Amino acid sequence: MDIVYCFLDFRFDLVLSYFYTMVFSSSLLENAVNEFAKLPGIGKKTALRLVLHLIKQDSAEVNQFSETIARMREEIKFCSRCHNISDAELCNICSNTGRKQEILCVVETIRDVIAIESTQQFNGIYHVLGGIISPLDGVGPEQLNIDSLTQRIQKEDISEIIFALNPNIQGDTTVYYISKKLKGNRIKITTIARGIAFGGELEYADEMTLAKSISNRIPVENYISEGN
């Protein structure tokens, strides 16, 4: 039976390869494949698999799929406080009174919020910078959500800031810049421990390593001196 399945998979791959190199018999099919192929990590073969799968589904299911995507794009908001994705003005993390509102975790992207939340080891709140300082890529401090971070520090009763940025040159530069900007504020500033390999990315770290990095966070002064 396993041999049969392997043979069928092989035949299907041959069919995909054939479609991939030929001119499509339907412009509707070709256009759909091209749109799916625009998604990150999706090649033409994978796009064709997805489109052929949708073709086999009931029209109601496909309509629900497309309506869900369209509604998400039209109605989704960004939290006015932390810049996380939200359904309302405040995200469900910021509006959760059960979380420690005095501990603020600074992250690069929304994907990092999801990664940290998956560990279930952090019960504070977040601030999404929307990127990191990278002059070579044309990204400066003014293009990030740094001003809104400093405003939060002034307005809110924050006792600790945890930097959970990717451990690379750009991440270290961002940590250094913001920590210098916050100098003078009587706030504990820490960063996650280097259980995350230098040059790695938070979203690809396993949950245990990420959880330990948060639990064993260190003062940012030590982190900067270690980096140097």
Side-chain angles (χ1 to χ4, degrees):
M1 184 63 70
D2 290 339
I3 296 176
V4 173
Y5 283 132
C6 288
F7 177 74
L8 291 176
D9 285 341
F10 175 72
R11 290 293 299 273
F12 187 66
D13 285 338
L14 286 179
V15 171
L16 288 181
S17 297
Y18 178 68
F19 270 109
Y20 182 67
T21 55
M22 71 172 289
V23 176
F24 289 94
S25 59
S26 166
S27 60
L28 295 174
L29 176 64
E30 182 178 9
N31 292 339
V33 169
N34 289 336
E35 289 303 315
F36 271 96
K38 293 178 182 178
L39 297 173
I42 302 294
K44 280 289 183 70
K45 290 184 179 180
T46 302
L48 180 57
R49 285 180 185 268
L50 296 173
V51 173
L52 292 179
H53 171 76
L54 290 176
I55 290 175
K56 292 187 294 184
Q57 305 306 304
D58 292 336
S59 296
E61 293 184 8
V62 177
N63 287 336
Q64 182 179 359
F65 173 79
S66 60
E67 288 173 4
T68 299
I69 298 300
R71 183 182 177 190
M72 180 272 296
R73 184 63 188 88
E74 292 297 324
E75 299 182 11
I76 203 154
K77 298 178 176 63
F78 290 93
C79 179
S80 60
R81 185 186 185 196
C82 73
H83 307 289
N84 189 19
I85 284 179
S86 177
D87 292 335
E89 184 177 354
L90 287 180
C91 67
N92 56 5
I93 295 177
C94 283
S95 59
N96 186 348
T97 56
R99 300 186 73 106
K100 296 179 179 178
Q101 301 289 322
E102 71 278 9
I103 300 179
L104 179 63
C105 183
V106 178
V107 297
E108 177 183 346
T109 68
I110 292 165
R111 293 193 301 270
D112 297 331
V113 174
I114 296 172
I116 295 174
E117 284 296 288
S118 297
T119 70
Q120 299 183 358
Q121 296 296 312
F122 181 68
N123 193 36
I125 54 177
Y126 296 91
H127 188 87
V128 182
L129 292 176
I132 50 179
I133 298 173
S134 180
L136 292 177
D137 297 320
V139 180
E142 66 281 353
Q143 295 169 275
L144 305 178
N145 299 320
I146 295 178
D147 287 341
S148 58
L149 173 61
T150 57
Q151 291 171 11
R152 289 185 67 181
I153 302 304
Q154 295 170 0
K155 295 178 181 179
E156 300 179 22
D157 188 20
I158 304 295
S159 63
E160 180 182 2
I161 294 177
I162 305 171
F163 284 106
L165 303 182
N166 289 320
N168 52 34
I169 297 299
Q170 293 83 3
D172 284 0
T173 301
T174 307
V175 170
Y176 180 76
Y177 176 86
I178 298 177
S179 62
K180 293 289 284 184
K181 196 175 182 66
L182 296 177
K183 191 174 182 180
N185 290 280
R186 303 184 66 179
I187 299 175
K188 182 180 180 181
I189 302 178
T190 61
T191 184
I192 57 175
R194 278 187 170 169
I196 309 297
F198 188 82
E201 295 189 18
L202 255 61
E203 64 175 303
Y204 299 122
D206 63 272
E207 294 179 1
M208 183 62 70
T209 299
L210 189 54
K212 286 293 184 182
S213 295
I214 294 172
S215 299
N216 299 327
R217 58 187 180 273
I218 59 177
V220 73
E221 298 88 3
N222 296 357
Y223 176 80
I224 292 174
S225 61
E226 286 177 6
N228 295 332

